[in-house]
Amino acid sequence: MARQTAHIKSDGGTPEVEIRFGHANVGAYRIFLWELGRAPKQIGDTAQARVSLALPAKLAISRVSYEAIIQSPEPGVTLPYSMSIQIYQDGQTVPGGTRWERGKLNPNGAKSVIGFIAFEVS
Amino acid sequence: MKSALAMLAVSPLFAQPGLDLPIPDSPAFHALRLTPTVIQPATPREFAVSLLNGFEENGLSIDIAPYWLAAGHLVNREMYKANPIVRLLAGAQVSLATTKSSQDSDPSRLAVGLQVRIFDRGDARLDDQLADCLLKAAERVLASSAPCREGDDCQNEESTRRESLLKSACREEARARNWNRSAWAVGAAKDSLSAAAWSSLAYGFEGIPGLASTSQFIVQWSRVNRQQVGGLRLRVGGVDTHVSAEWIGKDGQSQFFLAAERKIGANLWLEVKAGGVNSRRIFVLTSFHWGLARQAHAGKTRPSS
């Protein structure tokens, strides 16, 4: 399972996440905020180009997860997929904030990707 | 040794009377008259591994779309739709094939092929209706699944379960919508003995009521060394059943055909064909033939199927 650690500033703005799908594939996703001791809360989905996460102080004790399904419009096997997950703060990509997922779709031309993001606040 | 490239286009045209897809899926392998398992790497790493493995074995057999392999991860669907240069690059396919003969007197052969899709209005990646259908199917699966917890086996068990729920008719519906769209592809191949080039241009009567969803007119041309073959084909019907009228010209001689074709299996077609050179030489031919499955990456689409 994919996991990345993004480094954000405590005095910066609310971080955002942007998910993009390469190889002209069709992708759907949803973003969850996992606060300690609470049920996960969906904070965004495909309809938003960038999803605002939470204030840095809250992210320091939380996790964010993304769940995506990628599909190729083309039928066929061994089709490539790619997906980027980028975390921004104040309009800039944060250190550790970029992650790529690449590979082959399954024989049905689809791929489910689930990953988690942890935050280090300085 | 008979020229390998004769196989590219001319032989299929006249060995089985009728216009028969002069644009092969993997040009270099047709040039070598081989039907190997073609490696189609999806990532640069796979490409490197394929090359190493290929050279260690008896031959190399590989198809790549160089731009898609190197930069496809940077191309989202919006960019692909908006930029015709990106589509042209994505549709350029290079094939490379080598064989090592078991007999010392028969030298190793190398064939290189290039195929470019100039445009393709049936390109599935341009189909907004298909994209919307796929998106909704994915959103339904996500909505029906509880969020995966960090300690769970999300990437294997849960992802596999979600992928298995994704069965939808979106692509089949798109195939029926787009089977006869206008498209143009050109290609060339060369091996150590000869060279060939071909072009296939299809017109799908877009915007013309009654014809836009039922008809396609195809102009095909090929040249192997100095021999040229031209053909015209009008197809009328639907995605899995159609009738066609064909003309083929070669060396100043014409052949005419009427054919009916029906898909009876995943890649199996039944064809009944009647035709001849003139009114005194008419034949009727019934045949089954295999159609190649649509391949793995951009650049594999063809005007006719």
Side-chain angles (χ1 to χ4, degrees), chain B residues 149-196:
Chain B
R149 295 182 176 278
E150 193 168 10
D152 296 346
D153 187 8
C154 298
Q155 201 52 57
N156 293 314
E157 189 177 333
E158 178 61 14
S159 285
T160 303
R161 188 190 71 81
R162 293 181 185 187
E163 289 165 13
S164 70
L165 295 175
L166 270 172
K167 294 182 178 67
S168 73
C170 300
R171 294 190 188 91
E172 277 302 300
E173 290 166 3
R175 196 172 71 87
R177 254 191 326 271
N178 297 326
W179 73 275
N180 64 331
R181 293 284 183 259
S182 295
W184 184 20
V186 297
K190 182 164 176 47
D191 72 359
S192 52
L193 299 171
S194 52

Side-chain angles (χ1 to χ4, degrees), chain B residues 215-232:
Chain B
S215 306
Q216 186 183 46
F217 183 66
I218 304 166
V219 181
Q220 292 179 334
W221 166 85
S222 67
R223 180 188 171 107
V224 177
N225 295 327
R226 293 184 177 179
Q227 189 172 53
Q228 297 193 57
V229 178
L232 305 173

Side-chain angles (χ1 to χ4, degrees), chain B residues 278-290:
Chain B
N278 53 46
S279 60
R280 280 174 289 179
R281 291 181 57 194
I282 293 177
F283 63 85
V284 176
L285 181 70
T286 302
S287 65
F288 293 94
H289 64 86
W290 293 94

Side-chain angles (χ1 to χ4, degrees), chain B:
Chain B
M1 184 189 299
K2 187 178 177 183
S3 169
L5 286 177
M7 186 64 185
L8 272 174
V10 178
S11 293
L13 283 173
F14 286 92
Q16 289 186 329
L19 203 57
D20 188 20
L21 296 182
I23 296 183
D25 265 343
S26 185
F29 302 123
H30 283 253
L32 286 175
R33 306 187 71 170
L34 295 173
T35 53
T37 300
V38 181
I39 300 164
Q40 295 172 323
T43 63
R45 179 183 293 179
E46 269 189 31
F47 175 56
V49 171
S50 302
L51 279 177
L52 291 172
N53 289 341
F55 283 123
E56 284 174 0
E57 294 168 2
N58 286 332
L60 175 69
S61 50
I62 196 162
D63 267 7
I64 58 166
Y67 175 78
W68 213 232
L69 190 66
H73 63 290
L74 302 173
V75 179
N76 63 24
R77 192 170 163 270
E78 288 69 33
M79 191 187 300
Y80 185 86
K81 280 175 61 185
N83 194 330
I85 302 298
V86 167
R87 294 199 296 274
L88 186 74
L89 291 170
Q93 176 203 334
V94 175
S95 303
L96 184 67
T98 64
T99 58
K100 289 181 182 174
S101 172
S102 56
Q103 298 174 355
D104 291 341
S105 58
D106 204 0
S108 297
R109 295 168 60 200
L110 167 68
V112 178
L114 172 68
Q115 189 167 299
V116 178
R117 184 181 50 184
I118 307 295
F119 72 89
D120 183 1
R121 295 184 72 172
D123 186 344
R125 290 184 166 84
L126 300 177
D127 187 337
D128 288 335
Q129 205 174 330
L130 170 59
D132 190 49
C133 182
L134 291 172
L135 190 63
K136 283 179 177 161
E139 286 175 343
R140 276 196 300 272
V141 170
L142 287 174
S144 67
S145 307
C148 196
R149 295 182 176 278
E150 193 168 10
D152 296 346
D153 187 8
C154 298
Q155 201 52 57
N156 293 314
E157 189 177 333
E158 178 61 14
S159 285
T160 303
R161 188 190 71 81
R162 293 181 185 187
E163 289 165 13
S164 70
L165 295 175
L166 270 172
K167 294 182 178 67
S168 73
C170 300
R171 294 190 188 91
E172 277 302 300
E173 290 166 3
R175 196 172 71 87
R177 254 191 326 271
N178 297 326
W179 73 275
N180 64 331
R181 293 284 183 259
S182 295
W184 184 20
V186 297
K190 182 164 176 47
D191 72 359
S192 52
L193 299 171
S194 52
W198 58 89
S199 169
S200 183
L201 176 65
Y203 171 57
F205 299 94
E206 284 88 352
I208 301 178
L211 297 178
S213 61
T214 62
S215 306
Q216 186 183 46
F217 183 66
I218 304 166
V219 181
Q220 292 179 334
W221 166 85
S222 67
R223 180 188 171 107
V224 177
N225 295 327
R226 293 184 177 179
Q227 189 172 53
Q228 297 193 57
V229 178
L232 305 173
R233 185 181 196 188
L234 177 66
R235 296 200 298 174
V236 179
V239 60
D240 290 335
T241 305
H242 40 255
V243 295
S244 62
E246 302 171 11
W247 169 85
I248 296 171
K250 177 193 169 192
D251 295 336
Q253 192 178 44
S254 291
Q255 292 190 6
F256 299 91
F257 307 97
L258 290 173
E261 202 173 38
R262 178 167 177 77
K263 188 178 183 184
I264 55 175
N267 286 322
L268 185 63
W269 293 77
L270 171 64
E271 184 179 54
V272 179
K273 182 174 278 189
V277 177
N278 53 46
S279 60
R280 280 174 289 179
R281 291 181 57 194
I282 293 177
F283 63 85
V284 176
L285 181 70
T286 302
S287 65
F288 293 94
H289 64 86
W290 293 94
L292 294 174
R294 210 159 165 120
Q295 297 294 315
H297 50 71
K300 287 288 197 174
T301 55
R302 297 182 297 179
S304 52
S305 59

